[in-house]
């Protein structure tokens, strides 16, 4: 039985797109081992793409220090600023949705890593399982961020393409 105030409460927590956020959170708590591996692989690809974009496709000249030194300069700074997650964060801040994005991401992360959420501290296997879910948590976090901001598509730099890029690793690997 649904309480009449439940939608209002969920909208307060997750914003007007609360139903989409809830669907992702609930589905992320039901991931199979195979789906977790798919999401971990998608996350690994995201990281590789970020490194490639930051290095401008010319390799990591100067190693990590060269990469970090170039973050605030020229094309690299533009690449970092135009990354979909940075655009989403700026949009969330501009429209007062930062708390919604943070809360949805935290709850989705706990849904992906139930061992960590269950408080199995001191249990090495639970800790290792949590580390093994970092990639899946990253992908789920991106998807839930996009869901929370879905009604803001077309506002500033938060375009349909940005939304789609945030959702792609989730939607292309998980049957909803």
């Amino acid at each position: 039985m649904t309480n009449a105030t439940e939608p209002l409460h969920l909208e307060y927590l997750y914003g007007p797109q609360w139903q989409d956020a809830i669907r992702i959170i609930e589905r992320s708590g039901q991931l199979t081992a195979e789906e977790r591996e798919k999401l971990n692989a998608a996350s690994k690809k995201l990281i590789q793409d970020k490194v490639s974009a930051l290095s401008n496709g010319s390799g990591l000249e100067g190693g990590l220090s060269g990469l970090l030194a170039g973050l605030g300069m020229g094309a690299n700074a533009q690449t970092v600023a135009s990354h979909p997650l940075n655009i989403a964060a700026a949009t969330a801040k501009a429209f007062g949705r930062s708390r919604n994005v943070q809360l949805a991401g935290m709850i989705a992360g706990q849904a992906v890593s139930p061992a960590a959420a269950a408080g199995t501290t001191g249990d090495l296997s639970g800790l290792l399982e949590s580390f093994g879910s970092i990639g899946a948590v990253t992908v789920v976090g991106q998807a839930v961020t996009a869901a929370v901001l879905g009604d803001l598509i077309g506002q500033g730099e938060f375009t349909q393409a940005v939304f789609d890029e945030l959702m792609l690793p989730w939607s292309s690997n998980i049957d909803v």
Side-chain angles (χ1 to χ4, degrees):
M1 184 158 76
T2 305
N3 184 338
T5 61
E6 186 173 317
L8 180 62
H9 177 70
L10 292 172
E11 185 172 346
Y12 174 75
L13 292 175
Y14 304 116
Q17 298 299 111
W18 64 270
Q19 293 170 325
D20 294 337
I22 292 291
R23 273 196 278 305
I24 293 169
I25 291 168
E26 287 177 348
R27 181 63 178 88
S28 66
Q30 302 166 355
L31 294 174
T32 65
E34 181 182 340
E35 289 170 329
R36 285 177 195 272
E37 285 306 311
K38 286 181 180 180
L39 294 181
N40 284 331
S43 176
K44 183 178 178 182
K45 182 177 178 344
L46 287 172
I47 291 169
Q48 290 171 341
D49 291 347
K50 284 180 190 177
V51 169
S52 293
L54 288 174
S55 66
N56 249 356
S58 59
L60 296 176
E61 298 112 7
L64 182 59
S65 61
L67 176 64
L68 294 175
L71 286 179
M73 306 171 112
N76 285 339
Q78 182 60 31
T79 301
V80 170
S82 65
H83 187 274
L85 255 144
N86 293 336
I87 293 170
T91 302
K93 183 177 180 181
F95 288 88
R97 301 269 183 89
S98 295
R99 183 188 54 79
N100 302 122
V101 167
Q102 291 168 348
L103 184 61
M106 179 185 70
I107 292 175
Q110 288 177 344
V112 171
S113 299
T120 55
T121 57
D123 183 359
L124 185 58
S125 65
L127 179 63
L128 292 175
E129 181 181 333
S130 294
F131 286 144
S133 297
I134 288 173
V137 168
T138 300
V139 170
V140 170
Q142 278 193 195
V144 82
T145 294
V148 167
L149 301 176
D151 63 311
L152 298 175
I153 293 171
Q155 299 293 324
E157 293 184 51
F158 194 73
T159 62
Q160 183 68 49
V162 169
F163 176 88
D164 292 345
E165 191 170 340
L166 291 172
M167 286 296 290
L168 183 64
W170 170 261
S171 61
S172 64
N173 288 293
I174 303 299
D175 294 326
V176 183

